[in-house]
Structure formats: structure tokens, C-alpha cells
Amino acid sequence: MVILGIETSCDETAAAVVRDDRTILSNILVSQIPGHQPFGGVVPEIAARSHLNYLTPIIKQALDEAKVTLEDLDGIAVTAGPGLIGGVLVGVMTAKALAAAQKLPFVAINHLEGHALTGRLTHDLPFPFLLLLVSGGHCQFLEVTNVGCYRLLGTTLDDAVGEAFDKVARIVGLTYPGGPALEKLARTGNSQRFVLPRPLKGQVGCNFSFSGLKTATRLMAEKHTPLSEQDKADLATSFQEAVIDCIVERTGNAFKMLQQPVKHLVVAGGVAANAPLRARLSDLCEDRGYIFVAPPLELCTDNGAMIAWAGIEKLKLGHQNTLDFIPRPRWPLYELKNTI
Ligand code: KG4
Ligand code: ZN
């Protein structure tokens, strides 16, 4: 089975061709970062127009690089939400047109499910597993028992972790997208210099809260304005370490909330690209007897391969969608079972 996957829900226009033996035949991506940088974040209208410009050539490139034609495909999978709806519509309309013209199965993928199943594309990973999904818009623990079966164990009470990274990055003078830049800056800092809170530490459950930590970082920055380069690096690393402490502590609690005999912790989403976070989670898993699974960096952030793979998983189970599927700007993972 060979599937084309299309991703246009945020600021990356992506298309990939993946085979059901887990071979990624192509994985093409155009980042719109330069177009959004002057505004400090993603502008939905600019994103939608860029997707429109880039998507057709990117699909062509993905097919060419995979050495397949539309006739060789067994289906088309596309992110149909959640995300910036203008961009999602560009992807979904393109996928529907291709599916209709080629008479191919059309699969509407929840973007979060794309992240959630990436571990099964990159590793020989059985169900059930514990998923920590950490991205720009989401921060949650899910017990994954099958394709489409997600039990929410905890989520953020305020900001998503990627959002907190991006905001603190701006406080220390870094441009969008802040997460990777903050990780780099943090390497030269002293994490002991600024004492920052660990919200919810010691409390039951595995919810998150990052807005208090973000505010504490901002107040600390204001107290030391104008910030020297060393101040910025020290703030970046102090913030990053506080976030990681919170995530590690919450993961310990999430293990206790599992109902199934879970052996694996899988991390997914853009923030899963953060090396110190991966190292600490790996240590925790070793301590507690779990196997830690982290996709390669380029498959943590948004990409087309994860959408193609989610399409393969669904088609194998006989799930596909009709061409009147309505894209969903909001689409929580734990509602998925009701929609397939
Ligand atoms: O999954 P993703 O590519 O898009 C969404 O679906 O949100 O995640 C993007 C988020 C951004 O907030 C970005 O700053 C963050 O992931 N991110 C990182 C790193 N790489 C990306 N945060 C911390 N460290 C990183 N290395
Ligand atoms: Zn994402």
C-alpha cells in the first residue's frame, strides 16, 4: 500500500509518500518561517495563501522523489484539523480533488493522530502505549489503546508547552519560531542562576500549567532589564529546566494512571525535538522500567509522512472518509472514536 500524505494545518506545507512496510519514499516540506517572521508568529491568512502557492509543486516533488505517479497510489490522506482552518481547507480541497479525479480512497486525518502514530512509523511499537504529546497548540498525556482509541489522562490548564517556549523566546529577544532557538541559547546558560517555579509539582494527576512559569520568567527578565547576552542565556536555560522538571514529574504521575499493561512511553509533537527533554525522559523510563520511544527530530515537528502513515493505519482497518467530510478547526483526539 502506497499513500500520499498532505499537511497544511500550520506554517509548514508538506507532502510525503509512505509505503505500508514503513518506508518513507519521500518527505517534502516547505517552511513558511521567513514569511511570518516579521510578525513574530504565524499569520493565518498569510499561511493559507502560501499553502495555496506551494502545495501543488510540493505534491509533484513528493511523487517524483518517491518515483511514483498518481496511478500508483492506494489512497490520499490529509490533515483535516485541528489547525488554522484556511490552511487546512487548502490541503483538504486539494486532497479531495485528487481523490475524486483518481478514484482513490480519501482519508481525513486528525493532525494530533498523525503525531500520535509517528512512533509506529519509526519503531516496531505495539499498542497500548503512553503518549506525551507536546506541541505548539497541545500538551497532553494519552493512553493509546488502538488507532482512534485515545484516553486523555491529563492536559494543560492554560498554555501549551510549545506556546510557552515561543513566548519566553520572545522575552529573551529570539525570533519566531522560538523553541529551537531557545534550546540553542540555553546551552550556554547557567540553570542555577534564576529560581523559577514548578507549577503543580507534588499535586495528584498529570495536568500541566505553564502560564505562571511564563509570567515568572517575564518578571525576572523585567527585573534584570537591560538583559546582557549572559542574562538571556541564563534565563533561557532556567526556564527550559523548569519546564522539563514539570514534564518529568507529571510523567511519573501519568505512569500511575494507566489502565492497560503499557510498556512504552512515546513522545511526539514539535517540543519532542528538544534534546534535554528527550534525555531526561529517557532517564526516567530507564529508572521506572519503561521503553522510551522518540521519533527522529524531523518527524517530531509537522511533516507529511506522519499524515501518510496515519492514513495507512486507517485504511488497513478499512476506515476512509467520504468527500463531504467537513474539516474541523477544533478536533480533540479523545473525540476521535466517535468520528470513524
Ligand atoms: O508539532 P509542531 O511542529 O506544530 C504544532 O502542531 O504545534 O510544534 C511546534 C512547536 C513550536 O511551539 C516550537 O517552538 C516547538 O514546537 N519546538 C520546540 C523545539 N522544536 C520545536 N520547543 C522546544 N525545543 C525544541 N527543540
Ligand atoms: Zn503538529
Side-chain angles (χ1 to χ4, degrees):
M1 191 187 280
V2 177
I3 301 290
L4 170 70
I6 296 172
E7 160 61 44
T8 57
S9 67
C10 192
D11 58 344
E12 254 111 25
T13 315
V17 179
V18 178
R19 206 164 55 202
D20 62 346
D21 63 358
R22 305 204 313 234
T23 307
I24 299 175
L25 298 174
S26 64
N27 193 19
I28 313 294
L29 183 141
V30 167
S31 171
Q32 305 176 2
I33 288 170
H36 298 289
Q37 223 149 25
F39 305 95
V42 182
V43 183
E45 191 55 30
I46 294 177
R49 285 171 196 277
S50 308
H51 288 308
L52 206 53
N53 288 337
Y54 292 137
L55 187 56
T56 306
I58 280 190
I59 290 174
K60 200 171 168 315
Q61 197 182 337
L63 295 171
D64 288 350
E65 216 166 273
K67 297 193 173 52
V68 297
T69 63
L70 285 172
E71 283 70 38
D72 299 322
L73 296 177
D74 296 295
I76 303 207
V78 61
T79 296
L84 302 173
I85 196 64
V88 172
L89 278 168
V90 172
V92 169
M93 294 313 290
T94 307
K96 283 181 176 176
L98 287 172
Q102 296 295 131
K103 299 195 173 40
L104 285 171
F106 164 80
V107 200
I109 302 294
N110 178 305
H111 177 83
L112 305 175
E113 186 162 44
H115 282 303
L117 298 175
T118 303
R120 286 170 54 82
L121 164 64
T122 58
H123 294 72
D124 188 12
L125 171 70
F127 294 115
F129 57 85
L130 173 63
L131 173 70
L132 168 61
L133 179 60
V134 277
S135 72
H138 297 86
C139 190
Q140 47 195 230
F141 286 107
L142 295 140
E143 184 170 353
V144 183
T145 47
N146 211 326
V147 177
C149 301
Y150 303 90
R151 191 168 77 89
L152 183 70
L153 303 180
T155 187
T156 180
L157 305 176
D158 39 60
D159 291 353
V161 62
E163 194 183 346
F165 263 99
D166 292 339
K167 286 182 179 157
V168 168
R170 214 183 299 179
I171 292 169
V172 295
L174 301 169
T175 51
Y176 150 87
L182 191 132
E183 180 188 346
K184 199 163 160 225
L185 177 64
R187 283 185 213 138
T188 57
N190 168 11
S191 65
Q192 307 299 308
R193 170 135 171 249
F194 297 111
V195 180
L196 294 170
R198 271 63 174 159
L200 300 181
K201 190 170 178 193
Q203 294 194 27
V204 290
C206 61
N207 283 331
F208 296 96
S209 169
F210 293 109
S211 76
L213 171 58
K214 186 188 67 192
T215 305
T217 311
R218 179 173 55 76
L219 293 175
M220 196 69 88
E222 281 168 10
K223 210 164 124 189
H224 291 80
T225 300
L227 296 174
S228 68
E229 286 312 304
Q230 194 55 52
D231 292 337
K232 289 178 186 174
D234 292 347
L235 265 175
T237 187
S238 302
F239 166 79
Q240 181 174 265
E241 193 153 301
V243 168
I244 295 174
D245 280 352
C246 293
I247 293 177
V248 168
E249 196 252 357
R250 302 278 93 192
T251 307
N253 284 4
F255 286 143
K256 295 183 207 147
M257 295 168 72
L258 293 163
Q259 286 179 349
Q260 307 274 327
V262 164
K263 289 203 184 96
H264 297 82
L265 168 68
V266 182
V267 67
V271 182
N274 186 280
L277 172 64
R278 290 161 81 104
R280 289 277 302 279
L281 287 173
S282 172
D283 290 349
L284 176 77
C285 284
E286 211 175 305
D287 270 9
R288 305 285 175 96
Y290 287 88
I291 300 164
F292 181 59
V293 174
L297 300 193
E298 70 278 10
L299 294 177
C300 285
T301 44
D302 293 348
N303 65 86
M306 69 179 190
I307 303 303
W309 176 254
I312 287 172
E313 295 252 31
K314 285 189 175 269
L315 281 174
K316 275 187 176 170
L317 295 172
H319 297 153
Q320 67 180 73
N321 299 91
T322 49
L323 293 180
D324 59 357
F325 185 92
I326 300 172
R328 295 185 55 176
R330 277 187 45 73
W331 192 5
L333 255 190
Y334 48 86
E335 277 181 16
L336 219 54
K337 193 125 194 254
N338 310 324
T339 65
I340 53 175

